[in-house]
Amino acid sequence: MIIKGQATVVKHTGSHYMLSALPGWELFPAVLRGKIRLKGSSATNPVAVGDMVDYEAEVEDGGTVTLENPAAVTAVHPRRNYIIRRSTNLSRQSHIIASNLDRAFLVVTLDFPQVKLPFLDRLLVTCEVYNVPAVIILNKCDLYGPEYDQMREAFRDIYEGAGYPVMEVSARTGEGIDRLTSVISGKTLPDGTENEEYDPCRPYVSLFSGVSGVGKSSLIRALDPSLEPRVGDISDAHEQGRHTTTFYEMYKVQSGGFIVDTPGLRGFGLVDLKKEEIATYFPEMLEASQDCRFTPCTHTHEPGCAVKDAVEEGRISYERYSSYLGMLEEEGKYR
Ligand code: GDP
Ligand code: ZN
């Protein structure tokens, strides 16, 4: 008997994929049949975690799909969005980390390891480029005594000012975890309001990213104690060109929603951004630039530049502008 269906890729190991028809969670193995390539994609992995695929399987009556008799992926549906990383700084090859994401949670701390704003800004730009709404999680807030007040306020001003929600949480004490749980389930928006479009039949998928030590695994365990996120720095293996397979994996959160963890991922790469494009991925600069005298304007030396005016008047943060200048300068190195 031939079974045909649609399912989401939730895991990729060296030899096969695991699929599940989300929001259900009944995993079954599959392999690729023939050449599967999504038009226009130069990624080294044709199928990524989060992809919706068509599959077929041949099973005996009453039988099931097994590792010995896996289903076959026959097609990949177009991706709503995805997050990519370059394989190395020099190569043009890229690897899709995950696709069809509702949100990317970028986890940072003011304590150890202290967040580096230019790094965070790069992640935010990548999220903008690939159309994944970003939320900043400020973890370890149990450690922020009064001596952190100023830094914390400055941080919130910069990122909320740029339009990004900032959620303060503590994986250790549980502060803010209920709210985060609700956002991950899809029922609540990051600003705390109800998601009026919430649909229980739709899988809500969130990416977790952040440098090692910020508390990603602790947070995932705080969201669902039954989860055991993988630890270790897998991006190193990737960088050294070893087998580029089991990297990312989707987890089901008991209270609703799905998480893709990216252990050890130091950042995701920018792919092919032109100099004049970069500012358009800083939402607050894009908005201000409508009033620049020249188009295109690099917002550096041009007279009548509304972005520079906004920076001088404090409507755009100096830190964000300075990250932008850093990216402009380095742009040549990306390609
Ligand atoms: P990951 O590398 O991002 O997965 O980080 P881990 O979850 O392994 O956490 C790194 C370290 O930070 C561990 O020692 C955790 O106990 C600690 N940690 C994580 N979350 C918190 C938190 O909310 N508060 C405090 N004080 N420590 C935390
Ligand atoms: Zn300008």
Side-chain angles (χ1 to χ4, degrees):
M1 178 175 66
I2 304 243
I3 306 172
K4 289 187 183 192
Q6 296 183 351
T8 298
V9 177
V10 301
K11 185 176 175 175
H12 181 196
T13 76
S15 56
H16 62 275
Y17 297 86
M18 293 305 283
L19 311 183
S20 179
L22 302 185
W25 195 249
E26 282 170 45
L27 275 50
F28 59 93
V31 294
L32 301 189
R33 176 184 293 166
K35 265 212 151 139
I36 293 194
R37 213 157 245 299
L38 211 54
K39 254 190 243 154
S41 171
S42 65
T44 51
N45 53 334
V47 175
V49 168
D51 279 349
M52 172 71 99
V53 299
D54 292 336
Y55 69 86
E56 34 180 272
E58 193 169 352
V59 294
E60 286 168 26
D61 284 348
T64 54
V65 174
T66 60
L67 267 180
E68 291 71 42
N69 180 34
V73 171
T74 53
V76 184
H77 294 206
R79 299 177 177 119
R80 187 157 44 99
N81 61 23
Y82 54 87
I83 291 280
I84 205 163
R85 78 187 303 262
R86 269 165 305 135
S87 298
T88 65
N89 274 342
L90 297 172
S91 97
R92 292 191 64 125
Q93 283 200 324
S94 55
H95 186 92
I96 297 177
I97 298 167
S99 69
N100 301 322
L101 298 163
D102 290 283
R103 241 173 259 302
F105 288 98
L106 308 180
V107 186
V108 299
T109 75
L110 301 181
D111 195 84
F112 187 79
Q114 194 177 78
V115 57
K116 294 191 176 66
L117 303 190
F119 173 78
L120 176 58
D121 289 328
R122 264 161 220 273
L123 295 189
L124 289 168
V125 164
T126 310
C127 289
E128 296 293 338
V129 171
Y130 292 107
N131 249 321
V132 180
V135 175
I136 298 168
I137 296 190
L138 203 47
N139 187 33
K140 309 199 187 185
C141 72
D142 56 292
L143 298 177
Y144 308 154
E147 71 277 19
Y148 279 94
D149 281 354
Q150 213 179 348
M151 199 201 278
R152 180 189 205 165
E153 212 164 291
F155 183 87
R156 292 194 82 112
D157 279 353
I158 294 170
Y159 289 100
E160 289 176 341
Y164 295 104
V166 176
M167 298 179 73
E168 285 187 36
V169 307
S170 167
R172 181 154 298 171
T173 64
E175 193 177 333
I177 297 297
D178 282 353
R179 168 109 163 255
L180 183 59
T181 303
S182 190
V183 176
I184 286 168
S185 74
K187 290 174 194 150
T188 307
L189 299 177
D191 66 6
T193 62
E194 188 189 340
N195 177 11
E196 284 169 9
E197 285 158 27
Y198 175 70
D199 171 0
C201 298
R202 179 186 181 295
Y204 291 88
V205 182
S206 300
L207 182 86
F208 265 64
S209 187
V211 297
S212 147
V214 292
K216 283 192 311 296
S217 343
S218 308
L219 275 174
I220 291 173
R221 281 191 298 263
L223 290 164
D224 182 341
S226 74
L227 296 178
E228 281 172 39
R230 238 165 344 130
V231 287
D233 200 339
I234 49 176
S235 65
D236 272 349
H238 189 39
E239 233 125 39
Q240 287 154 17
R242 278 192 259 142
H243 282 296
T244 55
T245 37
T246 251
F247 291 139
Y248 310 112
E249 182 173 349
M250 191 183 289
Y251 300 95
K252 179 185 170 65
V253 181
Q254 283 315 319
S255 45
F258 300 85
I259 294 180
V260 180
D261 184 22
T262 58
L265 182 69
R266 283 199 209 88
F268 21 82
L270 291 169
V271 180
D272 282 346
L273 268 195
K274 296 196 192 82
K275 256 187 160 60
E276 57 275 20
E277 263 182 325
I278 299 175
T280 65
Y281 297 115
F282 284 75
E284 73 277 42
M285 290 190 204
L286 174 65
E287 199 193 327
S289 69
Q290 316 293 326
D291 297 323
C292 290
R293 191 180 306 159
F294 297 101
T295 355
C297 178
T298 64
H299 319 304
T300 52
H301 59 274
E302 295 87 346
C305 171
V307 170
K308 276 197 299 177
D309 288 348
V311 174
E312 266 159 39
E313 291 161 20
R315 284 177 286 118
I316 287 181
S317 90
Y318 180 75
E319 287 81 0
R320 292 268 296 165
Y321 181 64
S322 146
S323 292
Y324 164 67
L325 294 181
M327 288 181 64
L328 262 192
E329 220 163 83
E330 274 191 29
E331 183 269 345
K333 295 178 197 153
Y334 283 126
R335 318 189 111 221

